[in-house]
Amino acid sequence: MSTKPIFVVTHPRACSTAFERVFMTCRDTLKCIHEPFGDAFYYGPERLSSRFEEDEKARLTTGFSESTYKTIIDRFEKEGGEGKRLLIKDMAYYLTPPDGAPPSIAPSLNRKERGVGTVAKPHPNHVLHSIPNGVTDGVREAPYPYATEPEPGNPTIVPTDILEKFHFTFLIRHPRSSIPSYYRCTVPPLDKMTGFYDFMPNEAGYQELRRLFDYLRSVGLVGPGIASRIPAANGHATTNGSAMTNGHSAKVDICVVDADDLLDNPNGVIEAFCKSVGIEYSDRMLNWESEEDQQYARKAFEKWTGFHEDALNSRDLKPRTHKKRAKTREEEDNEWREKFGEKGAKVIRETVDANVEDYEYLKQFALKV
């Protein structure tokens, strides 16, 4: 069974913070690290996002304007040496250039230089940013594209030998639920809390999650077995939640948690997840009523104000009393129109439709309980 740091990779508004709160109750054995790569993605000198590009004050105010991908990786190595297993929860798109732009390794993690005379070629849809890295011939350098080489097949800006250090799991939610929830965080009144003043469809995160998932499978970092509490259909034995395939057991089985499954059956899903990643399960993990629990969560979530209020105000994770009823397309559109207006509903619908295929692809690998 893997004892590597657990990396729960997800997309925005996948109920991932409620999921994370479960494991924050295991402070004797686990150290949770909440969305660290956003520091480098949005604010640091290697930033990939254009969201705060024209707002240097906002970047400086966060205290993360010097955060690189290496400083974040170094933090894991430091905190992982304190005797507790790490559980990191973060967005796949923080590790991937937006809009399908071709990746290359983050400069702070790069171990080799480009050949003489080679330059990074920008993606045609990628907006170059300016950063305070200095001026070359009177032109400010852009944080991305980086002047580094890519790794063949690797969709991220993190070298594979670093990705190998993590035990990857995945958390998903249907875009019909996640996209309107994220949109709500980028419009009044919540936008004043979050600091996200416009909705960017390229932050939906499904495409990047799928690409990372497929790459990790292709290089054997997850799979081929799928995590399950149910015996394999072919009758083969299971080991630590990993189905035996051709007589071989996966080192890290495919563990994809769907948020709706989690909300309908939190005990079963969390128990199966724990079995898959090698954590001792207790139903006490689903309760965090103490003031110590609340203070710990407030400190962990404080840098992303406005995004986690529901999870902060919660005291436990209980099953829904009724399964969520599937709404018709017309019902969804009417609901979004009523909440966000015609323009908002149109953007939400377009973004939902653009991400359903990637969600359904990942859904087929979901944990069986």
Side-chain angles (χ1 to χ4, degrees):
M1 174 58 65
S2 171
T3 57
K4 296 177 179 180
I6 302 161
F7 196 155
V8 183
V9 199
T10 186
H11 57 78
R13 316 307 289 174
C15 300
S16 58
T17 306
F19 180 83
E20 188 180 2
R21 289 220 64 175
V22 170
F23 299 99
M24 286 182 171
T25 65
C26 306
R27 292 189 292 278
D28 290 342
T29 56
L30 293 177
K31 174 65 181 290
C32 293
I33 300 182
H34 178 72
E35 299 182 15
F37 286 107
D39 303 351
F41 179 81
Y42 284 117
Y43 310 120
E46 296 174 325
R47 60 189 176 276
L48 295 168
S49 174
S50 61
R51 178 174 283 282
F52 298 101
E53 193 52 45
E54 305 305 321
D55 193 346
E56 184 177 10
K57 181 180 178 181
R59 297 199 306 272
L60 293 173
T61 299
T62 64
F64 303 121
S65 62
E66 298 301 318
S67 291
T68 67
Y69 284 93
K70 186 177 188 303
T71 63
I72 295 165
I73 296 293
D74 288 347
R75 176 188 171 190
F76 299 159
E77 294 183 354
K78 177 183 176 181
E79 298 195 23
E82 297 177 357
K84 298 179 183 180
R85 192 175 181 191
L86 299 184
L87 188 146
I88 301 148
K89 190 269 288 188
D90 219 334
M91 308 298 160
Y93 76 85
Y94 289 168
L95 306 179
T96 308
D99 302 313
S104 60
I105 299 303
S108 65
L109 300 176
N110 189 47
R111 298 183 181 88
K112 61 181 180 179
E113 299 296 330
R114 281 184 172 267
V116 176
T118 62
V119 295
K121 294 181 180 180
H123 187 273
N125 296 328
H126 190 77
V127 178
L128 297 184
H129 324 316
S130 61
I131 63 167
N133 273 3
V135 176
T136 302
D137 296 330
V139 179
R140 293 174 68 95
E141 296 177 354
Y144 192 82
Y146 306 138
T148 58
E149 294 283 359
E151 281 190 346
N154 185 349
T156 79
I157 50 80
V158 179
T160 302
D161 63 350
I162 292 179
L163 297 177
E164 289 174 348
K165 297 180 180 181
F166 301 103
H167 181 133
F168 282 95
T169 64
F170 309 86
L171 182 56
I172 59 174
R173 189 185 188 191
H174 199 291
R176 72 165 68 96
S177 298
S178 66
I179 299 301
S181 178
Y182 194 44
Y183 186 90
R184 176 173 168 263
C185 295
T186 66
V187 296
L190 274 183
D191 58 352
K192 290 185 178 180
M193 293 181 66
T194 63
F196 282 37
Y197 290 100
D198 57 298
F199 177 74
M200 298 173 66
N202 67 5
E203 292 179 344
Y206 290 86
Q207 178 191 104
E208 294 82 2
L209 187 59
R210 177 176 176 174
R211 288 169 63 198
L212 176 59
F213 175 83
D214 280 343
Y215 178 66
L216 296 175
R217 287 183 71 208
S218 72
V219 295
L221 292 184
V222 297
I226 298 176
S228 176
R229 290 175 62 195
I230 304 170
N234 59 12
H236 289 300
T238 60
T239 302
N240 293 330
S242 298
M244 301 291 287
T245 303
N246 297 325
H248 297 88
S249 176
K251 292 181 180 178
V252 175
D253 55 18
I254 295 170
C255 187
V256 178
V257 174
D258 187 284
D260 279 314
D261 296 335
L262 174 68
L263 296 176
D264 288 334
N265 182 10
N267 292 76
V269 168
I270 296 298
E271 183 178 5
F273 177 87
C274 288
K275 177 183 177 183
S276 175
V277 300
I279 296 174
E280 184 177 352
Y281 170 76
S282 167
D283 56 11
R284 294 190 299 274
M285 298 164 67
L286 279 70
N287 184 291
W288 44 83
E289 288 187 322
S290 73
E291 183 56 30
E292 182 182 357
D293 287 327
Q294 297 301 94
Q295 289 180 359
Y296 186 85
R298 281 193 291 269
K299 183 176 180 181
F301 301 155
E302 63 186 356
K303 72 176 179 178
W304 300 113
T305 304
F307 287 103
H308 306 312
E309 307 314 298
D310 289 343
L312 273 173
N313 293 328
S314 67
R315 298 286 173 172
D316 52 30
L317 185 59
K318 294 178 179 178
R320 293 189 289 210
T321 54
H322 300 285
K323 285 195 174 184
K324 192 172 184 179
R325 181 183 70 85
K327 297 177 182 177
T328 66
R329 188 179 180 91
E330 182 180 7
E331 287 176 323
E332 290 174 345
D333 288 337
N334 287 338
E335 180 180 311
W336 300 337
R337 195 175 295 113
E338 183 178 339
K339 289 182 178 179
F340 305 113
E342 193 71 41
K343 181 179 178 181
K346 182 175 183 294
V347 171
I348 291 171
R349 170 53 65 195
E350 291 173 350
T351 309
V352 169
D353 289 349
N355 289 281
V356 166
E357 181 181 345
D358 291 327
Y359 163 79
E360 291 179 343
Y361 172 81
L362 293 167
K363 173 68 173 177
Q364 69 181 315
F365 299 96
L367 183 76
K368 304 296 190 299
V369 295

